[in-house]
C-alpha cells in the first residue's frame, strides 16, 4: 500500500441509518490490508456490537469520549459544559495518539453531531483537520455538517432515510442498529 496516496477527508452524513456502519466498513477494509486505524466515538455511551468486533481486528484501537446517558437537549447547562470540556480534551488526545502511532486512518464517529450540539468546539476539529499528518485519512460521521466541514472534505456521502422501522415504533435492535 502506497501510504502517500492517503490523506483525504470523508464525511458520512444524512438522516438515514448507516453512517457509522459505512465508517466501520472502511475500518474493516483498512485493517484487512494492514493499515493502523484509530476509532474515536463521540456521543455514544452504551456497548455496541461493533465494539466487540473492532477489538478483534489487528491494528485497530478504539477510544470513546465521555459516555452520555442523556441527549444534549435533556442536559443542564452544567452538564453540557462538562461534556464540552471532556470532548475538547478528547479530540486532542486522539490527535496525539494518531501522531504517536503513525495511524493511517482515523474515524471520528458522531463528531459532527458533537459539534452541532455544541458538545465539541468545532474550531478545534477544524484546526486538527488543517494540521493533521499529511497521510492521515479521516472519516467523520454525523448529521448536519457545517459548511466549514463540508468545504474541507474530499468525500461527502449523504445517507437518505426513505423508511425506518423506528417510525413504526420498533426500537434499535442489538446486532442490527446497535
Amino acid at each position: 500500500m502506497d501510504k502517500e496516496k492517503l490523506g483525504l477527508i470523508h464525511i458520512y452524513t444524512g438522516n438515514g441509518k448507516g453512517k457509522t456502519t459505512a465508517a466501520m466498513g472502511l475500518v474493516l477494509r483498512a485493517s484487512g490490508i494492514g493499515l493502523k486505524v484509530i476509532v474515536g466515538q463521540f456521543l455514544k455511551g452504551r456497548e455496541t456490537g461493533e465494539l466487540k468486533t473492532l477489538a478483534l481486528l489487528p491494528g485497530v484501537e478504539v477510544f470513546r469520549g465521555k459516555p452520555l446517558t442523556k441527549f444534549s437537549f435533556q442536559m443542564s447547562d452544567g452538564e453540557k459544559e462538562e461534556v464540552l470540556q471532556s470532548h475538547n480534551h478528547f479530540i486532542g488526545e486522539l490527535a496525539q495518539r494518531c501522531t504517536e502511532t503513525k495511524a493511517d486512518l482515523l474515524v471520528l464517529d458522531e463528531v459532527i453531531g458533537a459539534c452541532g450540539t455544541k458538545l465539541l468546539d468545532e474550531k478545534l476539529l477544524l484546526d486538527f483537520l488543517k494540521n493533521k499528518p499529511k497521510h492521515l485519512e479521516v472519516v467523520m460521521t454525523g448529521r448536519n455538517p457545517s459548511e466549514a466541514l463540508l468545504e474541507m472534505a474530499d468525500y461527502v456521502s449523504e445517507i437518505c432515510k426513505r423508511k425506518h422501522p423506528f417510525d413504526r415504533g420498533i426500537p434499535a435492535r442489538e446486532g442490527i442498529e446497535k
Side-chain angles (χ1 to χ4, degrees), residues 148-168:
L149 287 174
L150 291 169
E151 182 65 31
M152 291 201 81
D154 299 290
Y155 296 89
V156 177
S157 296
E158 188 166 352
I159 299 171
C160 175
K161 179 185 88 161
R162 303 254 181 195
K163 280 177 92 172
H164 196 292
F166 186 77
D167 297 335
R168 295 183 316 197

PDB file of all heavy atoms in Angstrom, residues 148-168:
ATOM      1  N   ALA A 148     -18.168  24.756   6.858  1.00  0.00           N
ATOM      2  CA  ALA A 148     -16.702  24.681   7.003  1.00  0.00           C
ATOM      3  C   ALA A 148     -16.223  23.231   6.899  1.00  0.00           C
ATOM      4  O   ALA A 148     -15.213  22.955   6.244  1.00  0.00           O
ATOM      5  CB  ALA A 148     -16.268  25.299   8.325  1.00  0.00           C
ATOM      6  N   LEU A 149     -16.945  22.307   7.534  1.00  0.00           N
ATOM      7  CA  LEU A 149     -16.558  20.883   7.442  1.00  0.00           C
ATOM      8  C   LEU A 149     -16.773  20.360   6.025  1.00  0.00           C
ATOM      9  O   LEU A 149     -15.920  19.640   5.486  1.00  0.00           O
ATOM     10  CB  LEU A 149     -17.338  20.042   8.445  1.00  0.00           C
ATOM     11  CG  LEU A 149     -16.932  20.201   9.908  1.00  0.00           C
ATOM     12  CD1 LEU A 149     -17.886  19.434  10.820  1.00  0.00           C
ATOM     13  CD2 LEU A 149     -15.495  19.746  10.133  1.00  0.00           C
ATOM     14  N   LEU A 150     -17.888  20.717   5.412  1.00  0.00           N
ATOM     15  CA  LEU A 150     -18.155  20.279   4.043  1.00  0.00           C
ATOM     16  C   LEU A 150     -17.070  20.783   3.092  1.00  0.00           C
ATOM     17  O   LEU A 150     -16.635  20.061   2.187  1.00  0.00           O
ATOM     18  CB  LEU A 150     -19.528  20.763   3.579  1.00  0.00           C
ATOM     19  CG  LEU A 150     -20.729  20.099   4.260  1.00  0.00           C
ATOM     20  CD1 LEU A 150     -22.009  20.836   3.913  1.00  0.00           C
ATOM     21  CD2 LEU A 150     -20.817  18.630   3.895  1.00  0.00           C
ATOM     22  N   GLU A 151     -16.621  21.998   3.301  1.00  0.00           N
ATOM     23  CA  GLU A 151     -15.586  22.582   2.451  1.00  0.00           C
ATOM     24  C   GLU A 151     -14.260  21.826   2.586  1.00  0.00           C
ATOM     25  O   GLU A 151     -13.548  21.642   1.601  1.00  0.00           O
ATOM     26  CB  GLU A 151     -15.393  24.062   2.814  1.00  0.00           C
ATOM     27  CG  GLU A 151     -14.388  24.783   1.961  1.00  0.00           C
ATOM     28  CD  GLU A 151     -14.785  24.900   0.502  1.00  0.00           C
ATOM     29  OE1 GLU A 151     -15.989  24.983   0.195  1.00  0.00           O
ATOM     30  OE2 GLU A 151     -13.868  24.914  -0.345  1.00  0.00           O
ATOM     31  N   MET A 152     -13.942  21.363   3.773  1.00  0.00           N
ATOM     32  CA  MET A 152     -12.675  20.654   3.994  1.00  0.00           C
ATOM     33  C   MET A 152     -12.696  19.231   3.444  1.00  0.00           C
ATOM     34  O   MET A 152     -11.648  18.666   3.152  1.00  0.00           O
ATOM     35  CB  MET A 152     -12.359  20.598   5.493  1.00  0.00           C
ATOM     36  CG  MET A 152     -12.006  21.944   6.055  1.00  0.00           C
ATOM     37  SD  MET A 152     -11.080  21.807   7.564  1.00  0.00           S
ATOM     38  CE  MET A 152      -9.461  21.510   6.881  1.00  0.00           C
ATOM     39  N   ALA A 153     -13.872  18.657   3.315  1.00  0.00           N
ATOM     40  CA  ALA A 153     -13.996  17.249   2.945  1.00  0.00           C
ATOM     41  C   ALA A 153     -13.675  17.015   1.471  1.00  0.00           C
ATOM     42  O   ALA A 153     -13.954  17.853   0.616  1.00  0.00           O
ATOM     43  CB  ALA A 153     -15.406  16.756   3.249  1.00  0.00           C
ATOM     44  N   ASP A 154     -13.110  15.839   1.216  1.00  0.00           N
ATOM     45  CA  ASP A 154     -12.882  15.373  -0.150  1.00  0.00           C
ATOM     46  C   ASP A 154     -14.036  14.491  -0.612  1.00  0.00           C
ATOM     47  O   ASP A 154     -14.332  14.434  -1.806  1.00  0.00           O
ATOM     48  CB  ASP A 154     -11.564  14.582  -0.216  1.00  0.00           C
ATOM     49  CG  ASP A 154     -10.383  15.443   0.178  1.00  0.00           C
ATOM     50  OD1 ASP A 154     -10.034  16.351  -0.599  1.00  0.00           O
ATOM     51  OD2 ASP A 154      -9.824  15.236   1.274  1.00  0.00           O
ATOM     52  N   TYR A 155     -14.631  13.762   0.311  1.00  0.00           N
ATOM     53  CA  TYR A 155     -15.793  12.911   0.057  1.00  0.00           C
ATOM     54  C   TYR A 155     -16.920  13.401   0.950  1.00  0.00           C
ATOM     55  O   TYR A 155     -16.710  13.656   2.132  1.00  0.00           O
ATOM     56  CB  TYR A 155     -15.569  11.464   0.508  1.00  0.00           C
ATOM     57  CG  TYR A 155     -14.517  10.651  -0.147  1.00  0.00           C
ATOM     58  CD1 TYR A 155     -13.210  10.646   0.331  1.00  0.00           C
ATOM     59  CD2 TYR A 155     -14.824   9.796  -1.197  1.00  0.00           C
ATOM     60  CE1 TYR A 155     -12.237   9.847  -0.233  1.00  0.00           C
ATOM     61  CE2 TYR A 155     -13.862   8.979  -1.771  1.00  0.00           C
ATOM     62  CZ  TYR A 155     -12.567   9.012  -1.280  1.00  0.00           C
ATOM     63  OH  TYR A 155     -11.618   8.204  -1.842  1.00  0.00           O
ATOM     64  N   VAL A 156     -18.106  13.502   0.417  1.00  0.00           N
ATOM     65  CA  VAL A 156     -19.295  13.721   1.239  1.00  0.00           C
ATOM     66  C   VAL A 156     -20.352  12.757   0.724  1.00  0.00           C
ATOM     67  O   VAL A 156     -20.794  12.865  -0.416  1.00  0.00           O
ATOM     68  CB  VAL A 156     -19.821  15.171   1.173  1.00  0.00           C
ATOM     69  CG1 VAL A 156     -21.094  15.315   2.000  1.00  0.00           C
ATOM     70  CG2 VAL A 156     -18.757  16.158   1.643  1.00  0.00           C
ATOM     71  N   SER A 157     -20.721  11.800   1.576  1.00  0.00           N
ATOM     72  CA  SER A 157     -21.760  10.829   1.227  1.00  0.00           C
ATOM     73  C   SER A 157     -22.944  11.063   2.145  1.00  0.00           C
ATOM     74  O   SER A 157     -22.804  11.065   3.367  1.00  0.00           O
ATOM     75  CB  SER A 157     -21.238   9.401   1.398  1.00  0.00           C
ATOM     76  OG  SER A 157     -20.179   9.161   0.502  1.00  0.00           O
ATOM     77  N   GLU A 158     -24.109  11.269   1.534  1.00  0.00           N
ATOM     78  CA  GLU A 158     -25.314  11.521   2.313  1.00  0.00           C
ATOM     79  C   GLU A 158     -26.209  10.292   2.254  1.00  0.00           C
ATOM     80  O   GLU A 158     -26.550   9.812   1.174  1.00  0.00           O
ATOM     81  CB  GLU A 158     -26.054  12.734   1.774  1.00  0.00           C
ATOM     82  CG  GLU A 158     -27.198  13.147   2.662  1.00  0.00           C
ATOM     83  CD  GLU A 158     -27.716  14.536   2.333  1.00  0.00           C
ATOM     84  OE1 GLU A 158     -27.111  15.246   1.525  1.00  0.00           O
ATOM     85  OE2 GLU A 158     -28.749  14.893   2.904  1.00  0.00           O
ATOM     86  N   ILE A 159     -26.579   9.821   3.424  1.00  0.00           N
ATOM     87  CA  ILE A 159     -27.434   8.646   3.542  1.00  0.00           C
ATOM     88  C   ILE A 159     -28.846   9.138   3.833  1.00  0.00           C
ATOM     89  O   ILE A 159     -29.100   9.755   4.864  1.00  0.00           O
ATOM     90  CB  ILE A 159     -26.906   7.698   4.633  1.00  0.00           C
ATOM     91  CG1 ILE A 159     -25.495   7.224   4.245  1.00  0.00           C
ATOM     92  CG2 ILE A 159     -27.859   6.535   4.845  1.00  0.00           C
ATOM     93  CD1 ILE A 159     -24.759   6.467   5.293  1.00  0.00           C
ATOM     94  N   CYS A 160     -29.726   8.892   2.902  1.00  0.00           N
ATOM     95  CA  CYS A 160     -31.090   9.415   2.961  1.00  0.00           C
ATOM     96  C   CYS A 160     -32.043   8.337   3.489  1.00  0.00           C
ATOM     97  O   CYS A 160     -32.060   7.222   2.990  1.00  0.00           O
ATOM     98  CB  CYS A 160     -31.507   9.853   1.559  1.00  0.00           C
ATOM     99  SG  CYS A 160     -33.219  10.383   1.455  1.00  0.00           S
ATOM    100  N   LYS A 161     -32.822   8.700   4.481  1.00  0.00           N
ATOM    101  CA  LYS A 161     -33.831   7.787   5.005  1.00  0.00           C
ATOM    102  C   LYS A 161     -35.080   7.849   4.140  1.00  0.00           C
ATOM    103  O   LYS A 161     -35.643   8.921   3.931  1.00  0.00           O
ATOM    104  CB  LYS A 161     -34.187   8.141   6.449  1.00  0.00           C
ATOM    105  CG  LYS A 161     -35.259   7.226   7.025  1.00  0.00           C
ATOM    106  CD  LYS A 161     -35.687   7.664   8.404  1.00  0.00           C
ATOM    107  CE  LYS A 161     -36.797   8.651   8.288  1.00  0.00           C
ATOM    108  NZ  LYS A 161     -37.589   8.846   9.477  1.00  0.00           N
ATOM    109  N   ARG A 162     -35.491   6.725   3.632  1.00  0.00           N
ATOM    110  CA  ARG A 162     -36.779   6.631   2.921  1.00  0.00           C
ATOM    111  C   ARG A 162     -37.827   5.989   3.834  1.00  0.00           C
ATOM    112  O   ARG A 162     -38.972   6.399   3.841  1.00  0.00           O
ATOM    113  CB  ARG A 162     -36.619   5.793   1.652  1.00  0.00           C
ATOM    114  CG  ARG A 162     -35.577   6.306   0.723  1.00  0.00           C
ATOM    115  CD  ARG A 162     -36.195   6.939  -0.441  1.00  0.00           C
ATOM    116  NE  ARG A 162     -35.134   7.398  -1.330  1.00  0.00           N
ATOM    117  CZ  ARG A 162     -35.338   8.228  -2.290  1.00  0.00           C
ATOM    118  NH1 ARG A 162     -36.535   8.675  -2.515  1.00  0.00           N
ATOM    119  NH2 ARG A 162     -34.351   8.620  -3.040  1.00  0.00           N
ATOM    120  N   LYS A 163     -37.388   4.969   4.564  1.00  0.00           N
ATOM    121  CA  LYS A 163     -38.230   4.277   5.551  1.00  0.00           C
ATOM    122  C   LYS A 163     -37.314   3.828   6.675  1.00  0.00           C
ATOM    123  O   LYS A 163     -36.142   3.551   6.449  1.00  0.00           O
ATOM    124  CB  LYS A 163     -38.851   3.005   4.944  1.00  0.00           C
ATOM    125  CG  LYS A 163     -40.048   3.208   4.073  1.00  0.00           C
ATOM    126  CD  LYS A 163     -40.497   1.886   3.482  1.00  0.00           C
ATOM    127  CE  LYS A 163     -41.531   1.224   4.359  1.00  0.00           C
ATOM    128  NZ  LYS A 163     -42.119   0.026   3.709  1.00  0.00           N
ATOM    129  N   HIS A 164     -37.873   3.724   7.864  1.00  0.00           N
ATOM    130  CA  HIS A 164     -37.100   3.216   9.003  1.00  0.00           C
ATOM    131  C   HIS A 164     -38.078   2.598   9.991  1.00  0.00           C
ATOM    132  O   HIS A 164     -39.127   3.190  10.285  1.00  0.00           O
ATOM    133  CB  HIS A 164     -36.321   4.350   9.667  1.00  0.00           C
ATOM    134  CG  HIS A 164     -35.234   3.869  10.576  1.00  0.00           C
ATOM    135  ND1 HIS A 164     -35.475   3.213  11.755  1.00  0.00           N
ATOM    136  CD2 HIS A 164     -33.894   3.951  10.454  1.00  0.00           C
ATOM    137  CE1 HIS A 164     -34.328   2.914  12.341  1.00  0.00           C
ATOM    138  NE2 HIS A 164     -33.350   3.345  11.569  1.00  0.00           N
ATOM    139  N   PRO A 165     -37.754   1.422  10.528  1.00  0.00           N
ATOM    140  CA  PRO A 165     -38.661   0.769  11.481  1.00  0.00           C
ATOM    141  C   PRO A 165     -38.959   1.603  12.727  1.00  0.00           C
ATOM    142  O   PRO A 165     -40.017   1.458  13.329  1.00  0.00           O
ATOM    143  CB  PRO A 165     -37.921  -0.519  11.855  1.00  0.00           C
ATOM    144  CG  PRO A 165     -36.952  -0.751  10.765  1.00  0.00           C
ATOM    145  CD  PRO A 165     -36.604   0.590  10.206  1.00  0.00           C
ATOM    146  N   PHE A 166     -38.032   2.497  13.105  1.00  0.00           N
ATOM    147  CA  PHE A 166     -38.252   3.341  14.274  1.00  0.00           C
ATOM    148  C   PHE A 166     -39.516   4.183  14.102  1.00  0.00           C
ATOM    149  O   PHE A 166     -40.227   4.467  15.069  1.00  0.00           O
ATOM    150  CB  PHE A 166     -37.036   4.242  14.500  1.00  0.00           C
ATOM    151  CG  PHE A 166     -37.116   5.039  15.770  1.00  0.00           C
ATOM    152  CD1 PHE A 166     -36.856   4.447  16.999  1.00  0.00           C
ATOM    153  CD2 PHE A 166     -37.467   6.381  15.749  1.00  0.00           C
ATOM    154  CE1 PHE A 166     -36.947   5.171  18.179  1.00  0.00           C
ATOM    155  CE2 PHE A 166     -37.555   7.117  16.916  1.00  0.00           C
ATOM    156  CZ  PHE A 166     -37.288   6.510  18.133  1.00  0.00           C
ATOM    157  N   ASP A 167     -39.814   4.560  12.864  1.00  0.00           N
ATOM    158  CA  ASP A 167     -41.015   5.349  12.588  1.00  0.00           C
ATOM    159  C   ASP A 167     -42.295   4.576  12.916  1.00  0.00           C
ATOM    160  O   ASP A 167     -43.356   5.173  13.087  1.00  0.00           O
ATOM    161  CB  ASP A 167     -41.055   5.783  11.121  1.00  0.00           C
ATOM    162  CG  ASP A 167     -39.887   6.695  10.759  1.00  0.00           C
ATOM    163  OD1 ASP A 167     -39.339   7.359  11.662  1.00  0.00           O
ATOM    164  OD2 ASP A 167     -39.531   6.724   9.567  1.00  0.00           O
ATOM    165  N   ARG A 168     -42.198   3.258  12.984  1.00  0.00           N
ATOM    166  CA  ARG A 168     -43.345   2.415  13.349  1.00  0.00           C
ATOM    167  C   ARG A 168     -43.262   1.967  14.803  1.00  0.00           C
ATOM    168  O   ARG A 168     -43.997   1.081  15.223  1.00  0.00           O
ATOM    169  CB  ARG A 168     -43.389   1.177  12.455  1.00  0.00           C
ATOM    170  CG  ARG A 168     -43.651   1.498  11.001  1.00  0.00           C
ATOM    171  CD  ARG A 168     -43.747   0.250  10.182  1.00  0.00           C
ATOM    172  NE  ARG A 168     -42.651  -0.644  10.592  1.00  0.00           N
ATOM    173  CZ  ARG A 168     -42.232  -1.679   9.882  1.00  0.00           C
ATOM    174  NH1 ARG A 168     -42.799  -1.994   8.759  1.00  0.00           N
ATOM    175  NH2 ARG A 168     -41.240  -2.428  10.313  1.00  0.00           N
TER     176      ARG A 168
END
